[in-house]
Amino acid sequence: MAITRDRLVALLTEFGIEDKAILSNADIRAEDLIFELNRHKITVPEPFFKALADALHLVFIPKEQILSKSYLAPGLPYAVMKENLTFLLKLSREGAEFVTANPLNTTFFAKLENIFRVPITIHVTSIDAIEEAIDQGYIEIHAHRALEELREREPDESAYRVLYPWQQYGIVIVLVAFLLLFLGNYPLSLIILFTVINVVYFGLNLSKFYLSFLGFQGSRSEVTIRTELVEKLDDGALPVFTIFVPIYREPEMLPHLIRNLNRLDYPKDKLDIKILMEEKDDETLGAARRLGLFGEPETVMESMSSDEYHEFLKPFEPIIVPDADIKTKPRACNYGLQRARGEFCVIFDAEDDPDPDQLKKAVLAFSRVEDDCVCLQSRLNFYNPKDNVLTRWFTLEYSYWYDFYLHGVERIGAPIPLGGTSNHFRTKALRDLGGWDPYNVTEDADLGIRIARKKLRTSMLNSYTYEEANTKLWNWIRQRSRWIKGYFQTYLVHMRHPRELRADLGWRRFGLFQLTLGSSIFVVLINPILWLTSALAILIPGIFPFLLYYPLTYICLFNLIIGNALFITTQAIAAVKERKYSLVPFALLVPIYWALISVAAWKGAIQLLTKPFYWEKTQHGISKLNQQARLTEEPSVLAD
């Protein structure tokens, strides 16, 4: 199987391949030329492979015949076949038959012969035939792994069961004991209840204020990458970077995400962008087909020729996630993870607008941290903070959480609950962790805890991703109730075996886990009870005389007045430090926002019992900015 490089280049040119940068590059060996063309997503027509087979005196096998054998794909690992464009056709004691799109890859074939210890025969087919056969053959395997790998590997780390028996019994025993005490001596029962609540709340108030104070001082381990370092990077030395974009019932967001991700300052041939769409999401799949993600486009962007538009779409790979009873973002991402090519990977949501240099910063950051740092969390905020009062409160919360509070959490060494987007991972480490839990509807927070339990680390990255703040109240409540339901799931999963959790984290971090994740659940559920009690005590003096005793009265007053004032102040400080001065007055009204969070929390808690794995879909593209963009884009940017 010998052919000179010049003859191979001549053959490629004969069939319409004219990429001079690759064909004229003498550093690319003949055996790597087809791989290089495929890496740059340059379409090589089937007739070329027929001619190549003739030149090498090999048999050419048409695509239909290869696809009929797709069930044989698991004969070799998915990544090995993809990397070498090779497919196993037949294996027996007498020999093995392989079909390949690069018959010049002789070193690999020698390894195969050594592994299988039988003579091998090589046939030729097109790149399309190889890749489609591999993808089809691995659909069921990857679908199963996406849903069940973590559950089968580490069942105690999966949220597929809401409560373990001892947790169920514990909750029932506490409730029954309180009910019996209430029936026997209701003043004493309320005294005990409100004493416990207020003492815990008092400790949480002081602790959270301390975390905020630390956060305002900045992070100790945030990886800060300066712009001048990014500009000095050699694009040719950068690794492949996989981007997961799960999108469900959001056809209108496809043009938005394609434009935003094309603005990333990263070599296009090093981007592996997986657009993850559900099999039965006909609306989004239809939009993807019209935009040309699956073939020839029905529409192209204005001012682009057909060739330019095809080049524009090259980094994007549409992935159809097989249908299942559970349709969650983590399941879709797990499916994409099975097919990721990148050394590093990241999740972006469909509405995200990341800083253009974020991927390069992540690559530089990973090169500077220890190997035990497997995740970098970028900062998140919103591009539509002034749409209405709700978006202003939401922006205040995000500014405080990502720019300050998480830095305080990191400074004291507590496990960091990740955000839902812009988490950069070492791909191998993420696979070793089992990916995301598809049964957990706040899979990011759960993964952050699992990272900590494995003695691995998450660091913050000095780069922003801008999202769309929810502008509609009910849409926001649906989104927040899912987040809080996922926090419930995460807490219950990791508290199934408290001794093991304590052994994994150590006493200090175990306590910090209770303080950070545990308290976030406790506070939002208890707030309405405390507010109602306070309101009744003010409106109906003497209604709870048995609760007014020293020192509980002073603790209650501290929680009500000083505690709330402290947190209003932290929100205001966050706005000032971020120079978002117009948001400061809204910090004074933020208790109303907290009340809305509590409504969402109780909704999430109830849904945890009735529909634990149901993914409350958040509608995107509803901000004024997105609506205005569509009005200008529909008639002019997209043209038939």
Side-chain angles (χ1 to χ4, degrees):
M1 290 189 293
I3 187 172
T4 66
R5 190 184 189 284
D6 289 343
R7 174 69 181 119
L8 182 60
V9 170
L11 201 59
L12 285 163
T13 305
E14 181 183 337
F15 287 94
I17 307 302
E18 299 177 352
D19 192 300
K20 294 181 180 179
I22 296 176
L23 299 185
S24 62
N25 187 344
D27 292 334
I28 302 176
R29 303 176 303 169
E31 51 264 43
D32 295 328
L33 206 53
I34 293 173
F35 290 146
E36 197 68 17
L37 291 168
N38 187 52
R39 187 171 71 82
H40 283 81
K41 298 190 176 180
I42 295 171
T43 302
V44 183
E46 185 178 75
F48 161 79
F49 294 100
K50 290 181 180 178
L52 181 60
D54 289 341
L56 295 171
H57 307 292
L58 297 174
V59 175
F60 176 83
I61 300 180
K63 181 177 180 177
E64 297 74 19
Q65 200 170 329
I66 304 298
L67 293 181
S68 69
K69 301 281 188 179
S70 62
Y71 62 89
L72 295 172
L76 283 176
Y78 179 87
V80 170
M81 288 191 292
K82 279 281 192 175
E83 183 180 343
N84 292 281
L85 296 176
T86 299
F87 188 86
L88 176 64
L89 278 182
K90 184 178 179 181
L91 179 63
S92 67
R93 292 180 179 179
E94 289 72 37
E97 291 185 35
F98 293 89
V99 63
T100 182
N102 187 5
L104 305 179
N105 191 16
T106 53
T107 303
F108 175 66
F109 301 137
K111 290 180 180 178
L112 286 179
E113 198 161 33
N114 186 52
I115 291 170
F116 286 96
R117 299 186 181 278
V118 293
I120 67 171
T121 303
I122 301 299
H123 306 304
V124 180
T125 193
S126 67
I127 293 174
D128 283 349
I130 290 285
E131 294 198 324
E132 284 189 37
I134 295 169
D135 287 340
Q136 286 185 21
Y138 265 90
I139 283 176
E140 291 186 10
I141 294 173
H142 285 172
H144 177 80
R145 288 177 182 171
L147 186 60
E148 303 295 353
E149 182 170 3
L150 179 65
R151 175 182 172 181
E152 292 175 351
R153 187 200 299 185
E154 300 284 351
D156 286 344
E157 294 184 6
S158 172
Y160 77 100
R161 290 180 65 180
V162 177
L163 293 167
Y164 268 25
W166 79 265
Q167 293 173 314
Q168 296 175 3
Y169 300 147
I171 292 171
V172 170
I173 289 171
V174 170
L175 291 176
V176 169
F178 178 78
L179 179 61
L180 291 175
L181 181 60
F182 181 83
L183 294 174
N185 189 339
Y186 87 90
L188 178 61
S189 68
L190 293 181
I191 288 172
I192 293 173
L193 175 64
F194 280 91
T195 299
V196 170
I197 288 175
N198 276 281
V199 168
V200 171
Y201 213 110
F202 179 78
L204 292 178
N205 277 333
L206 293 178
S207 300
K208 286 209 164 185
F209 184 71
Y210 177 64
L211 287 176
S212 302
F213 174 75
L214 291 178
F216 289 137
Q217 296 180 48
S219 170
R220 285 179 178 172
S221 70
E222 179 180 56
V223 189
T224 302
I225 305 296
R226 299 191 307 276
T227 303
E228 54 266 31
L229 294 176
V230 173
E231 293 172 348
K232 292 178 182 178
L233 275 175
D234 175 13
D235 284 0
L238 289 170
V240 175
F241 213 121
T242 295
I243 299 174
F244 302 117
V245 188
I247 181 167
Y248 183 52
R249 294 180 179 174
E250 295 180 290
E252 70 283 354
M253 297 305 296
L254 273 172
H256 175 89
L257 77 87
I258 289 173
R259 287 187 189 88
N260 281 350
L261 295 185
N262 256 303
R263 285 200 289 265
L264 288 171
D265 177 21
Y266 206 83
K268 296 298 184 280
D269 62 300
K270 301 288 185 73
L271 284 177
D272 174 35
I273 305 176
K274 311 288 191 188
I275 309 297
L276 305 166
M277 296 169 282
E278 293 287 342
E279 182 180 9
K280 293 188 177 181
D281 183 4
D282 295 332
E283 290 180 315
T284 307
L285 290 171
R289 290 188 176 94
R290 288 191 295 275
L291 288 169
L293 289 175
F294 288 98
E296 288 302 313
E298 295 178 20
T299 58
V300 296
M301 294 187 180
E302 189 181 353
S303 77
M304 285 189 190
S305 66
S306 179
D307 289 341
E308 288 173 332
Y309 188 62
H310 279 96
E311 192 70 23
F312 188 72
L313 293 180
K314 272 186 179 180
F316 298 89
E317 180 185 357
I319 301 274
I320 299 177
V321 182
D323 189 47
D325 292 336
I326 293 178
K327 296 179 181 67
T328 60
K329 173 182 172 181
R331 185 185 78 98
C333 289
N334 280 342
Y335 191 81
L337 181 61
Q338 307 297 321
R339 301 176 176 222
R341 296 189 295 110
E343 180 181 345
F344 304 111
C345 60
V346 62
I347 296 177
F348 290 128
D349 287 335
E351 79 278 13
D352 285 356
D353 187 4
D355 283 346
D357 62 357
Q358 188 172 121
L359 300 190
K360 286 185 174 180
K361 280 188 173 182
V363 171
L364 280 169
F366 275 122
S367 71
R368 293 180 165 217
V369 297
E370 300 294 331
D371 290 345
D372 66 342
C373 179
V374 299
C375 178
L376 298 169
Q377 170 69 68
S378 301
R379 299 183 180 192
L380 305 180
N381 220 306
F382 299 114
Y383 51 69
N384 62 317
K386 298 181 180 180
D387 274 12
N388 55 33
V389 175
L390 184 61
T391 60
R392 286 176 168 90
W393 281 332
F394 210 171
T395 302
L396 275 170
E397 181 185 23
Y398 259 42
S399 296
Y400 166 69
W401 181 267
Y402 285 102
D403 292 341
F404 303 107
Y405 179 75
L406 283 185
H407 292 297
V409 170
E410 174 269 321
R411 282 175 70 95
I412 62 173
I416 296 178
L418 301 177
T421 179
S422 305
N423 310 309
H424 299 261
F425 298 97
R426 301 182 194 270
T427 305
K428 182 182 182 302
L430 181 57
R431 285 176 174 146
D432 291 343
L433 284 163
W436 296 270
D437 183 359
Y439 294 92
N440 191 314
V441 297
T442 311
E443 76 295 335
D444 36 30
D446 168 71
L447 182 56
I449 306 305
R450 284 196 283 126
I451 286 172
R453 293 190 69 170
K454 300 296 183 183
K455 307 293 190 296
L456 301 171
R457 291 190 302 112
T458 296
S459 290
M460 303 295 292
L461 180 67
N462 69 319
S463 182
Y464 276 95
T465 293
Y466 293 92
E467 300 185 295
E468 180 186 49
N470 242 312
T471 61
K472 297 181 180 179
L473 179 58
W474 183 244
N475 196 43
W476 178 89
I477 286 177
R478 285 168 56 85
Q479 180 186 56
R480 184 54 60 100
S481 69
R482 173 173 59 79
W483 291 358
I484 296 174
K485 180 172 72 171
Y487 267 55
F488 284 133
Q489 287 178 308
T490 300
Y491 184 78
L492 291 171
V493 163
H494 292 284
M495 283 297 289
R496 286 170 174 171
H497 304 291
R499 290 183 180 178
E500 291 182 11
L501 179 63
R502 194 269 308 160
D504 290 341
L505 297 178
W507 276 111
R508 183 173 177 275
R509 299 184 84 195
F510 176 79
L512 293 173
F513 169 79
Q514 309 300 327
L515 171 66
T516 53
L517 188 69
S519 70
S520 66
I521 301 169
F522 173 84
V523 167
V524 293
L525 288 179
I526 295 302
N527 271 340
I529 298 174
L530 294 182
W531 293 333
L532 179 61
T533 304
S534 301
L536 288 173
I538 294 170
L539 295 173
I540 311 174
I543 189 174
F544 300 122
F546 46 84
L547 294 181
L548 300 176
Y549 69 94
Y550 177 84
L552 182 59
T553 302
Y554 298 103
I555 294 176
C556 291
L557 288 173
F558 177 90
N559 290 336
L560 179 64
I561 300 172
I562 306 299
N564 284 309
L566 287 175
F567 284 109
I568 289 171
T569 302
T570 59
Q571 301 279 313
I573 292 173
V576 170
K577 290 180 78 69
E578 292 290 294
R579 298 184 179 180
K580 297 173 181 174
Y581 304 115
S582 64
L583 297 180
V584 173
F586 293 90
L588 302 176
L589 301 173
V590 82
I592 301 172
Y593 184 66
W594 297 340
L596 296 176
I597 292 176
S598 291
V599 171
W602 279 99
K603 181 178 180 294
I606 293 169
Q607 199 178 83
L608 181 66
L609 302 176
T610 57
K611 295 188 288 186
F613 313 128
Y614 175 64
W615 189 276
E616 290 265 33
K617 183 73 184 76
T618 304
Q619 183 185 0
H620 294 122
I622 57 178
S623 66
K624 294 177 183 177
L625 187 65
N626 277 317
Q627 289 172 353
Q628 291 169 359
R630 279 202 295 276
L631 284 174
T632 56
E633 288 167 1
E634 284 175 3
S636 59
V637 177
L638 294 179
D640 288 337

